[in-house]
Every structure is written in C-alpha cells, then in structure tokens.
Amino acid sequence: MASPAGSVASSRSCSRIGSGRRHCLWRRAGPFLYWVPVLFICSILAWSYYAYVAQLCLLTISNIGEKMVCLIAYHLFFMMFLWSYWKTIFTLPMNPSKEFHLSYSDKELMEREPRNETHQEVLKRAAKDLPISTRTMSGAIRYCDRCQLIKPDRCHHCSVCDKCILKMDHHCPWVNNCVGFSNYKFFLLFLAYSLLYCLFIFATELQHFIRFWTNGLPDTQAKFHIMFLFFAAAMFSISLSSLFGYHCWLVSKNKSTLEAFRAPVFRHGTDKNGFHLGFSKNLREVFGDEKKYWLLPIFTSLGDGCSFPTCLVNQDLEQASTPAGHNANKNENSHHFPAKTLRDSQSHLLTDPQSWTETSADTEKNKVGLSNPALSMENET
C-alpha cells in the first residue's frame, strides 16, 4: 500500500510531466500559431478578389467600359498590395554588425566581475570607437544581455524574435515579422496600398450597395457578396486610415513607435526630437533620394541602420557634465548642425552641403579629441 507522501510526490511529478508536455506542444505549435493572422489576411484578400472580380465585375456590371476600368484599376491596387505585403513579411530584419558584439575576453571579464562599475568600464572601452550617441535612462551604455552586444542607436531587442533589431519600430503579428530598418518602407507602402485597395472597393461598390437596399439588384449570390464586401472595405478603411496616419506622423517626426512612447536618451538627457531633421530629410531617410522608387516596395532607405544623424548641438564640456535625466533647454530652430557619427559618410543626408556645416563639426571634433562626441563627453567626466 502506497504511503500518502508517496502519492503526493507521484501526483506532483505527473503534474510536472503534464505541464512540460503542454509547454513542449505549445512551443512546437508556436511557429504555426504566429502565421494565423497572416493566413487570416490572405483568406480575406482571396475572398475579396472573388467577390469583386467574379461577382461584381463579371456578373453584375453590364457596361463594358465600366467593367474594364474597374478590372484594370482593381488589379493595379491588388498587385501593389500583394507586393508590399510580401516584402514586409519576408524581408529579414537587420541585426547589429559584428563590431557591436563584445570580444571573447570582454565577455569573460563581465562574467567574472559581477560589479556594475566593472561592466560599465568594459562597455565604455568597447564602445569607444562605435557610432553611438544614445544611453539608458541612468546614462549607461545600452547593452543587450541576451545577444551580448552593445546596442546601436535606435536598436532594441525583440522578445518574439529573440534578437536585436536595427531601428526597431514594433513586432507586427499581421505580418509575423519585426518592422525595422530593413522593411519599414515596405510596411508603410503595405498600409498605403491596403488603404487604397479598400477605398477603391468602397467607392466603386457604393452605387451597387445602394441598389441592393432599393431592390435594384436581383436576389442572387452576387448581391450578398457585394453587401459584405462593402461593409468589410468600410471597416478596414477606418482602421487602416488611423494606423497609416499615425505612421505618417512618425515619419514626419523621424520617430519609431517605440520612440514615440519612450523618448530616446542622449548624453545630455532625454530628447524626443533628437533624430528630427526636418520633414524633407526625415522623408528621404526612409524612402531615399530617388523619388521614382518611393512608391515601389524596393529598399531605398538611407544609411546602414547602425548610426543616424541627429539634430543635437554638440555639447561643450561644461554642458556634458549635466546629469542624465535633466533636459537641456533647447530650441529646434537653434540647432545649427548635428552630432555626427563615424558612419556619416554612408548616409546621403550628411553629404548635402546646404544642410550640414562641416566646419563646426570639425571644430568640435578637435576640441573633444575623440571620434564619438557622446562617448567623448562620458570619458571626460
């Protein structure tokens, strides 16, 4: 006869085994579950194609000219929608380059020394020649324990992808991908073309929807497809217009979604407009210099994703000693030149002679004595 203690231990072990099996099953089913929102969007898109092309254009519209115009315009929006959606889903997010990873000796030193001061000394030495200007809220070097690397500016760790993403905006379940530097333009075009797609359906179906309610259409299968497609297009248009408008505002301010909720922290303190260069330069940073490619889901964004020009005036040594968290009083109109990084030659925004003052930047560089202004201030103090 089994003892009560043995029964309790046996039941606990069985419960642990059961929970472990459920956890394993969840992890195995996880990759498939992540694709459910994408499959939902694809199924809605496939049904809308059947409802509009087959039921409306081919069976309901009798005028040949109107039918041809609707079919040509619809397929144009449909193909651009699919193209941008495909690029947003299957463009891999960019990760920090090898120069931002700690060396083997630095990793061993940080593992042996649990003190935070030692960690910061290691990070300051490793980040001395890296093009970074942002810090943590406490003024420390931004470091990812999971990836064991120094985070570039605007880089964040995605808990879903379990990796650091350059200029991360957010992780979007509707595309099952991180939206960041490599595919942010594709994501904007996906929102734009999906909104145009829904508005086009809404506008061209309006007269047929009115005929439905006034009994102008016969009671056929096409009648109900037209009604439900009209309501779906209207609802998606409302939600997409708000989301697209929000991201247009982010682009105009040169912000990401994460930066809109939590402003980036620089050496002098928090600055919500630290990367704001003006509307034209903000737009070109995402869409590139060639306007003929702006409406195509082709990668044309400027820069390398690791460093970005800022609108911050280089701080002198007295201003650099201001504690982090105390914002310096600044006026956006008083910003004469940005705090440049080591990779400024890779960004077309920094080669515009009408926009940037090279002489002032060289003067500050000679004054501080190091290649990275933000880290120079840190070393001086």
Side-chain angles (χ1 to χ4, degrees):
M1 183 175 180
S3 63
S7 301
V8 172
S10 177
S11 61
R12 287 179 178 176
S13 62
C14 290
S15 62
R16 285 196 296 268
I17 294 174
S19 61
R21 288 177 178 175
R22 289 193 296 269
H23 182 67
C24 292
L25 290 175
W26 173 258
R27 292 192 63 180
R28 291 177 181 177
F32 172 77
L33 294 177
Y34 290 147
W35 286 101
V36 170
V38 177
L39 295 176
F40 174 76
I41 294 295
C42 292
S43 61
I44 292 293
L45 191 61
W47 167 75
S48 66
Y49 184 88
Y50 168 76
Y52 192 90
V53 174
Q55 297 295 330
L56 177 64
C57 293
L58 299 182
L59 299 179
T60 303
I61 299 178
S62 57
N63 186 284
I64 301 298
E66 180 183 359
K67 182 181 300 187
M68 293 301 298
V69 170
C70 289
L71 285 173
I72 294 174
Y74 173 83
H75 282 90
L76 176 63
F77 290 122
F78 182 79
M79 293 304 298
M80 295 305 296
F81 180 12
L82 278 183
W83 188 9
S84 57
Y85 190 45
W86 176 274
K87 294 286 287 186
T88 307
I89 295 174
F90 294 103
T91 300
L92 295 177
M94 290 181 62
N95 311 120
S97 55
K98 293 182 179 180
E99 60 183 340
F100 290 92
H101 291 260
L102 293 182
S103 63
Y104 181 77
S105 59
D106 288 337
K107 292 179 183 178
E108 281 191 334
L109 182 59
M110 292 186 68
E111 291 177 358
R112 290 197 308 264
E113 298 290 342
R115 294 181 303 170
N116 187 44
E117 295 81 3
T118 305
H119 289 186
Q120 279 303 302
E121 290 299 326
V122 173
L123 294 179
K124 288 178 185 178
R125 183 177 66 253
K128 181 179 179 181
D129 296 324
L130 294 179
I132 58 174
S133 56
T134 55
R135 301 294 181 91
T136 63
M137 293 297 295
S138 60
I141 302 295
R142 298 172 66 242
Y143 177 73
C144 179
D145 293 319
R146 299 276 297 179
C147 302
Q148 293 185 322
L149 57 83
I150 297 173
K151 293 182 181 180
D153 293 343
R154 317 184 81 174
C155 175
H156 298 275
H157 186 88
C158 176
S159 59
V160 179
C161 299
D162 195 24
K163 61 182 66 176
C164 286
I165 308 298
L166 294 181
K167 196 186 176 183
M168 178 178 174
D169 188 88
H170 68 289
H171 186 92
C172 182
W174 299 107
V175 299
N176 190 26
N177 198 3
C178 257
V179 178
F181 176 76
S182 61
N183 61 352
Y184 187 63
K185 176 190 174 183
F186 306 149
F187 178 74
L188 288 174
L189 293 179
F190 158 63
L191 294 179
Y193 285 122
S194 59
L195 177 59
L196 291 175
Y197 178 77
C198 293
L199 290 176
F200 175 79
I201 292 177
F202 178 84
T204 54
E205 276 205 346
L206 180 59
Q207 58 174 330
H208 303 283
F209 180 76
I210 295 175
R211 291 173 59 191
F212 170 81
W213 288 106
T214 56
N215 295 324
L217 290 177
D219 291 331
T220 60
Q221 185 181 7
K223 185 175 182 178
F224 297 97
H225 279 287
I226 291 172
M227 181 187 67
F228 288 116
L229 183 59
F230 180 85
F231 278 119
M235 290 186 296
F236 278 106
S237 297
I238 295 174
S239 59
L240 286 171
S241 59
S242 60
L243 184 59
F244 179 64
Y246 175 70
H247 279 277
C248 287
W249 176 81
L250 291 178
V251 171
S252 67
K253 299 295 182 180
N254 204 342
K255 296 181 179 180
S256 65
T257 300
L258 295 177
E259 292 167 351
F261 285 94
R262 176 178 292 181
V265 180
F266 297 88
R267 180 61 184 85
H268 66 278
T270 302
D271 192 327
K272 63 180 181 180
N273 294 318
F275 295 105
H276 181 48
L277 309 175
F279 178 78
S280 177
K281 296 183 182 66
N282 295 342
L283 197 64
R284 286 194 293 146
E285 188 171 298
V286 176
F287 290 93
D289 291 325
E290 298 290 337
K291 294 183 178 180
K292 59 183 178 181
Y293 297 121
W294 281 11
L295 300 181
L296 298 177
I298 301 173
F299 183 80
T300 55
S301 300
L302 300 183
D304 58 1
C306 293
S307 60
F308 300 89
T310 67
C311 66
L312 304 178
V313 176
N314 286 348
Q315 307 290 313
D316 56 25
L317 296 181
E318 290 77 16
Q319 291 174 332
S321 61
T322 303
H326 296 276
N327 295 336
N329 293 328
K330 306 184 304 302
N331 186 350
E332 185 177 349
N333 296 328
S334 66
H335 292 162
H336 302 293
F337 56 89
K340 294 189 178 182
T341 63
L342 292 178
R343 296 173 179 263
D344 54 1
S345 61
Q346 300 183 19
S347 174
H348 298 294
L349 292 176
L350 297 177
T351 60
D352 187 358
Q354 299 179 356
S355 305
W356 313 102
T357 305
E358 296 291 342
T359 56
S360 301
D362 294 335
T363 303
E364 289 294 331
K365 182 176 179 180
N366 296 330
K367 177 180 178 182
V368 177
L370 290 176
S371 56
N372 191 345
L375 292 176
S376 302
M377 301 174 209
E378 179 74 13
N379 293 333
E380 290 292 338
T381 57

